[in-house]
Amino acid sequence: MLIDWFTVGAQALNFLILVWLMKRFLYQPVLQAIATREKLVAKELADADAKRSEAQKDRDEFHKKNEAFDQERAGLLAKATDEAQAERKRLLDEAHKAADALGAQRQAALIIDARNLNQAVSRRTQEEVFAIARKALADLATTSLEERMGEVFTRRLREMDGKSKAVLGDALKKNSTPALVLSSFELPGPQRAAIQNAVNETFSADIHLQFATSPDLVSGIELTTNGQKVGWSIAGYLTALESVVGKLMKEKEKPESEAVPAVTPEKAIKSS
Amino acid sequence: MRLSTDQFIFWQHGVCKLNGTIVFTWGLMLVMAAGSRLITRRLSTDLKRSPWQNLLEIVVAGMELQIAGAGLKHPEKYIGFLGTLFLFVALAALCTVIPGYEPPTGSLSTTAALALSVFVAVPLFGIEEQGLGGYLATYARPTIIMLPFNLISELSRTLALAIRLFGNMMSGAMIMAILLTITPFIFPILMTLLGLLTGMVQAYIFSILAAVYIAAATRAGKPKPAPATAPAKLSAG
């Protein structure tokens, strides 16, 4: 007999016990663990989803803020740049103006300095030259020179051009007071007579002359009447020379003053 | 020649006896219960788990899937019975690699006991699901004429369950015993491997057929879902 009924019963009981044991020790704990883990995973996934959505939200917000901040920053930067440029332009203009003013002031000062110096130098030179000339001519002025001067004077009277002659003649004739003949030395009689003759001949009238001396003439003779003057004197030459030199000086100052900003005062002095 | 472990008697008192079948079954029960207890003693419920726990979870989850595939809606309700059937038959077959071990499923008494358990469990699950009247009414379907045939079917399939498992397991052990006497040692090893394979297949067939019977009993009055092809094919084995 292949079937032993006692064994069948025992095995059936064994199997039932095994079912209970396995339920108790295997299926329940394992299924419970799986269920718990699934819940955990689901929870974690939900958490992750929530976190992700929150992160997405945060990110969006951050992006928005970032964009707004960027725009604001760009606006502020542009504004600041504009302001800075305007300020720079203003400052530059001011600086230019100040520099120009300072340059002009400096130039003017330099010009004034140069002019003053020039004037001083020319005046001094003039004075020195004239002093030397006066001294030399005064030293040389002798009676014979006076005589020569008288000759020169008379010749000049005679050689006067028609117009000047007429004007002077009118003045001499109309003047009631005697015409004044100035000389640096007292004129001797013959010379006085020669001058009187020459005047009379030249103007064809009897002109009264009054002779006087004037050291200012340096050396020479002058006939003065009613605002008209004729004569020859070294002082006259010197005055003419002085006026020519002064004119030249003024002409020379002009181009120098134009080039002054590039020239140091020392150079200006040197060149002048 | 010893055909069954039933004949290997350790102790006897009247009808009561302690034979090889019972002893090997106890051994298997001990291994299964103790192993499960050892592994499930410290189950982790978080994302990290031990390899043994992982293995058990795979086995249990796989069985749940198979039960659900057989058409049972709440696999966790039936896994205690069907899962234990599978694990017991499978472990009994797997242990044949241990020298001196004889599978208790190679005894017709054991397979008959398992088949009887199924024979009892099917109506119990059916009654629990549909009520006594509802379950009994399934025998008279589609017509009352079918009642005897349904009853015969109930009995014959229980018998088939017992004989199929017994035949396969016993034949494996028998072939091994015969081959050991006539062939070199390599061939019995190959046959052992084949025996392992057939043992696993039988475990699967036994439990999946039980699942199908329970499924049929529990949803007889309900509209049938699309027929599952796999159990139908396996029932031929």
Side-chain angles (χ1 to χ4, degrees), chain A residues 189-222:
Chain A
Q191 210 163 348
R192 285 186 183 187
I195 291 166
Q196 182 71 59
N197 282 338
V199 169
N200 289 345
E201 281 172 18
T202 307
F203 301 105
S204 313
D206 189 15
I207 312 278
H208 290 281
L209 295 174
Q210 188 189 343
F211 293 93
T213 57
S214 169
D216 289 343
L217 288 172
V218 183
S219 182
I221 300 167
E222 254 184 24

Side-chain angles (χ1 to χ4, degrees), chain A residues 43-76:
Chain A
K43 189 174 162 285
E44 295 219 339
L45 282 175
D47 282 356
D49 278 346
K51 275 181 186 168
R52 196 188 293 130
S53 61
E54 198 179 338
Q56 184 70 36
K57 202 176 134 198
D58 283 355
R59 205 181 70 169
D60 290 348
E61 199 177 337
F62 175 74
H63 271 296
K64 259 184 219 165
K65 277 185 182 171
N66 227 4
E67 276 172 14
F69 175 72
D70 279 351
Q71 280 176 356
E72 196 180 343
R73 192 180 62 175
L76 283 174

Side-chain angles (χ1 to χ4, degrees), chain A residues 2-4 6-8 10-12 14-15 17-19 22 25-27 29-31 36-37 40-41 44, chain B residues 17 19 21 25-26 29 37 40 43-44 46-47 49 53 56-57 64 83-85 87 108-110 113-114:
Chain A
L2 286 174
I3 294 184
D4 176 36
F6 172 77
T7 312
V8 170
Q11 286 296 75
N14 280 340
F15 179 71
I17 292 168
L18 186 64
V19 166
M22 296 308 278
F25 292 126
L26 184 64
Y27 306 121
V30 169
L31 287 175
T36 312
R37 186 175 305 111
L40 184 75
V41 168
E44 295 219 339
Chain B
K17 53 188 148 190
N19 54 30
T21 309
T25 303
W26 282 354
M29 283 168 68
R37 176 81 188 105
T40 57
L43 275 184
S44 115
D46 56 14
L47 296 177
R49 48 193 190 264
Q53 184 184 344
L56 273 194
E57 285 186 9
E64 256 195 335
T84 309
L85 263 183
L87 285 181
L108 191 57
S109 306
T110 308
L114 295 179

Side-chain angles (χ1 to χ4, degrees), chain B residues 75-147:
Chain B
E76 67 277 358
K77 192 172 153 189
Y78 307 102
I79 196 170
F81 180 72
L82 294 171
T84 309
L85 263 183
F86 172 77
L87 285 181
F88 177 70
V89 179
L91 196 70
L94 271 180
C95 286
T96 49
V97 293
I98 300 167
Y101 168 83
E102 293 283 346
T105 45
S107 149
L108 191 57
S109 306
T110 308
T111 58
L114 295 179
L116 278 173
S117 300
V118 174
F119 180 75
V120 174
V122 167
L124 281 180
F125 283 123
I127 290 163
E128 190 194 0
E129 196 72 25
Q130 307 187 72
L132 184 62
Y135 175 71
L136 289 177
T138 59
Y139 287 102
R141 279 185 191 154
T143 59
I144 194 72
I145 302 162
M146 293 300 287
L147 179 63

Side-chain angles (χ1 to χ4, degrees), chain B residues 55-69:
Chain B
L55 177 75
L56 273 194
E57 285 186 9
I58 288 168
V59 170
V60 173
M63 289 191 305
E64 256 195 335
L65 269 178
Q66 289 297 325
I67 293 165

Side-chain angles (χ1 to χ4, degrees), chain A residues 72-268:
Chain A
E72 196 180 343
R73 192 180 62 175
L76 283 174
L77 193 67
K79 200 180 157 194
T81 310
D82 290 348
E83 281 177 3
Q85 274 178 351
E87 184 67 15
R88 180 173 168 269
K89 198 166 175 296
R90 193 182 64 77
L91 287 174
L92 273 176
D93 288 348
E94 272 181 14
H96 277 142
K97 274 180 198 164
D100 287 349
L102 202 64
Q105 206 178 338
R106 188 164 158 267
Q107 199 175 350
L110 283 173
I111 288 166
I112 289 162
D113 282 356
R115 194 175 294 155
N116 288 343
L117 193 66
N118 276 348
Q119 278 175 358
V121 167
S122 58
R123 201 177 299 124
R124 181 81 188 180
T125 312
Q126 233 173 320
E127 282 169 9
E128 288 297 322
V129 166
F130 293 138
I132 289 162
R134 277 196 186 91
K135 183 88 174 47
L137 288 168
D139 288 348
L140 288 172
T142 57
T143 315
S144 58
L145 184 66
E146 297 293 317
E147 282 172 8
R148 281 292 301 152
M149 275 184 212
E151 282 172 21
V152 170
F153 180 69
T154 51
R155 195 174 69 231
R156 193 169 264 211
L157 272 175
R158 286 189 180 104
E159 286 170 0
M160 271 174 81
D161 57 350
K163 198 183 170 186
S164 306
K165 201 172 159 180
V167 170
L168 190 61
D170 283 350
L172 282 169
K173 283 167 190 168
K174 284 176 186 169
N175 198 4
S176 54
T177 54
L180 190 62
V181 176
L182 284 173
S183 60
S184 48
F185 296 97
E186 186 75 28
L187 291 170
Q191 210 163 348
R192 285 186 183 187
I195 291 166
Q196 182 71 59
N197 282 338
V199 169
N200 289 345
E201 281 172 18
T202 307
F203 301 105
S204 313
D206 189 15
I207 312 278
H208 290 281
L209 295 174
Q210 188 189 343
F211 293 93
T213 57
S214 169
D216 289 343
L217 288 172
V218 183
S219 182
I221 300 167
E222 254 184 24
L223 173 63
T224 316
T225 181
N226 207 16
Q228 298 293 319
K229 196 168 88 174
V230 68
W232 179 94
S233 69
I234 288 169
Y237 279 129
L238 288 175
T239 310
L241 177 67
E242 207 171 339
S243 73
V244 168
V245 168
K247 213 173 169 186
L248 276 171
M249 285 295 202
K250 276 183 184 170
E251 278 175 6
K252 211 176 173 185
E253 274 168 15
K254 275 181 190 170
E256 270 176 11
S257 64
E258 281 167 12
V260 160
V263 182
T264 58
E266 290 80 14
K267 278 184 185 171

